[in-house]
């Protein structure tokens, strides 16, 4: 499956966007995913694993989009639905995906707490 995702991201590459534009677009997009009483977007973190060789098949550079629920963590089904909602919002924005790919990102993950993250692509 990683090959399919890599092929998808590679196929979407335009080479026109900058990392700063990606960050601005990402912040705007993610702040609109949930209503105020559902979950709040608190930002993103870019991770680059320099200890992994560039030609390795393991994801080297990835982005974590971070949200917090207003109260305690929801049930597993609601959490899964929230992850799906964020991931589908990202995937539908082809320009953002192109820009992230151009900036070298191999993967995007979603986090709702500091203990776990869920891979989107």
């Amino acid at each position: 499956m990683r090959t399919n995702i890599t092929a998808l991201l590679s196929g979407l590459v335009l080479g026109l966007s900058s990392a700063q534009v990606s960050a601005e677009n990402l912040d705007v997009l993610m702040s609109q995913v949930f209503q105020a009483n559902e979950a709040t977007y608190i930002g993103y973190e870019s991770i680059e694993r320099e200890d992994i060789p560039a030609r390795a098949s393991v994801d080297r550079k990835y982005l974590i989009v971070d949200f917090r629920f207003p109260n305690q963590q929801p049930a597993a089904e609601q959490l899964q639905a929230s992850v799906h909602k964020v991931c589908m919002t990202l995937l539908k924005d082809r320009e953002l995906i192109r820009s992230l790919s151009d900036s070298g990102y191999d993967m995007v993950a979603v986090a709702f707490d500091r203990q776990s993250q869920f891979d989107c692509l």
Side-chain angles (χ1 to χ4, degrees):
M1 183 159 172
R2 179 171 310 283
T3 304
N4 292 339
I5 292 170
T6 303
L8 173 67
L9 288 174
S10 297
L12 296 175
V13 174
L14 281 180
L16 301 175
S17 302
S18 70
Q20 184 177 9
V21 172
S22 296
E24 292 169 6
N25 292 345
L26 182 65
D27 283 337
V28 169
L29 184 66
M30 293 295 98
S31 65
Q32 299 171 353
V33 173
F34 296 104
Q35 295 180 7
N37 61 341
E38 294 178 309
T40 302
Y41 172 67
I42 61 171
Y44 67 91
E45 183 176 359
S46 177
I47 308 292
E48 187 165 359
R49 298 278 312 270
E50 293 182 12
D51 59 318
I52 298 174
R55 296 191 182 267
S57 63
V58 176
D59 293 328
R60 191 166 183 240
K61 184 175 179 183
Y62 62 99
L63 196 68
I64 302 171
V65 290
D66 206 359
F67 294 84
R68 291 295 181 269
F69 290 106
N71 301 315
Q72 63 186 19
Q73 193 85 344
E77 293 165 353
Q78 180 60 39
L79 181 61
Q80 184 177 3
S82 296
V83 170
H84 179 75
K85 187 173 186 176
V86 172
C87 293
M88 292 309 297
T89 300
L90 282 166
L91 288 170
K92 288 178 182 177
D93 191 327
R94 290 178 173 252
E95 185 177 327
L96 179 62
I97 294 297
R98 283 183 200 112
S99 180
L100 290 172
S101 180
D102 290 348
S103 298
Y105 288 97
D106 300 314
M107 181 180 69
V108 177
V110 181
F112 289 97
D113 59 37
R114 294 195 170 275
Q115 288 75 39
S116 55
Q117 53 186 314
F118 306 89
D119 297 346
C120 282
L121 52 111

